[in-house]
Amino acid sequence: MWHTVPAYCLDFLLRLIGKRPMMVRINEKMSKGMDSLVYFSTHSWEWSCQNTERLQASLSEKDKKDFFMDIRSLDWESYLENYCLGIKQFVLKEELSGIPKARAHLKRLRNLTYLLNTIVLICILRFLKTRSQIAYTLWHSFTHILLKIFRLIRPQNTSR
């Protein structure tokens, strides 16, 4: 309910400006994803792996290579990426073709977040600069360092 009403409102506004409505569809996908995982995220289980440990201890070196059981050497980063891709493809029934575009969009959002945080920090420092001598000194030191960095990374004219 908290997400549905704003989604319909935003879709109405998108229709008014001639754009394709999409927020209700996105909201439904999010709800479907959360509903499919609610049972597993609200319950807890305890498992014993004694049988697995005994089986692994009884395997020969050749069998240990053939039947991978030691997750300590697992590449967790690639495992989690494949896990998320599997959830997207098989649980949410979404296409994987839009992933490069989504990653580029997330990169732009991350950079925008950094930019906005920097602007907020500068505004706070400017405000404090007028209120405190320490902040005034910090502000001038910060701007001096920034100017030096910009001079270092500025493209040099090599045609001379």
Side-chain angles (χ1 to χ4, degrees):
M1 178 70 179
W2 291 104
H3 297 106
T4 306
V5 173
Y8 277 104
C9 291
L10 286 172
D11 275 355
F12 177 72
L13 291 174
L14 286 171
R15 282 191 179 107
L16 285 178
I17 62 172
K19 302 263 184 178
R20 193 183 70 150
M22 63 180 167
M23 299 309 293
V24 171
R25 184 174 43 86
I26 291 172
N27 183 46
E28 288 171 353
K29 282 185 180 183
M30 287 177 25
S31 293
K32 181 182 175 185
M34 288 187 293
D35 289 344
S36 66
L37 300 174
V38 72
Y39 180 79
F40 301 101
S41 62
T42 58
H43 292 79
S44 64
W45 297 271
E46 288 186 29
W47 289 302
S48 170
C49 61
Q50 293 170 351
N51 290 341
T52 306
E53 290 170 351
R54 280 196 300 264
L55 176 63
Q56 186 174 3
S58 69
L59 292 176
S60 67
E61 288 302 317
K62 182 186 180 311
D63 286 341
K64 285 181 183 179
K65 288 179 184 174
D66 291 341
F67 305 104
F68 177 75
M69 294 179 66
D70 187 13
I71 64 167
R72 290 177 290 193
S73 62
L74 191 65
D75 180 13
W76 285 100
E77 187 174 333
S78 67
Y79 170 80
L80 288 174
E81 182 174 351
N82 289 331
Y83 171 80
C84 291
L85 291 174
I87 293 292
K88 180 176 178 68
Q89 186 175 9
F90 300 112
V91 175
L92 300 176
K93 306 287 189 219
E94 294 181 2
E95 293 293 323
L96 299 179
S97 60
I99 290 178
K101 185 178 176 183
R103 284 186 175 153
H105 181 69
L106 284 175
K107 187 176 181 180
R108 282 192 302 273
L109 287 176
R110 185 195 67 216
N111 291 339
L112 182 63
T113 301
Y114 290 157
L115 176 67
L116 291 176
N117 286 341
T118 303
I119 290 171
V120 167
L121 176 66
I122 289 172
C123 290
I124 290 171
L125 287 174
R126 293 277 302 183
F127 175 76
L128 291 176
K129 173 187 156 191
T130 62
R131 305 277 186 243
S132 157
Q133 182 61 37
I134 294 172
Y136 181 82
T137 306
L138 284 173
W139 172 255
H140 282 287
S141 299
F142 176 72
T143 55
H144 182 71
I145 291 169
L146 270 180
L147 287 173
K148 280 188 173 184
I149 291 171
F150 286 140
R151 283 189 204 121
L152 287 174
I153 62 173
R154 186 179 65 202
Q156 300 294 321
N157 188 358
T158 59
S159 62
R160 293 184 203 187

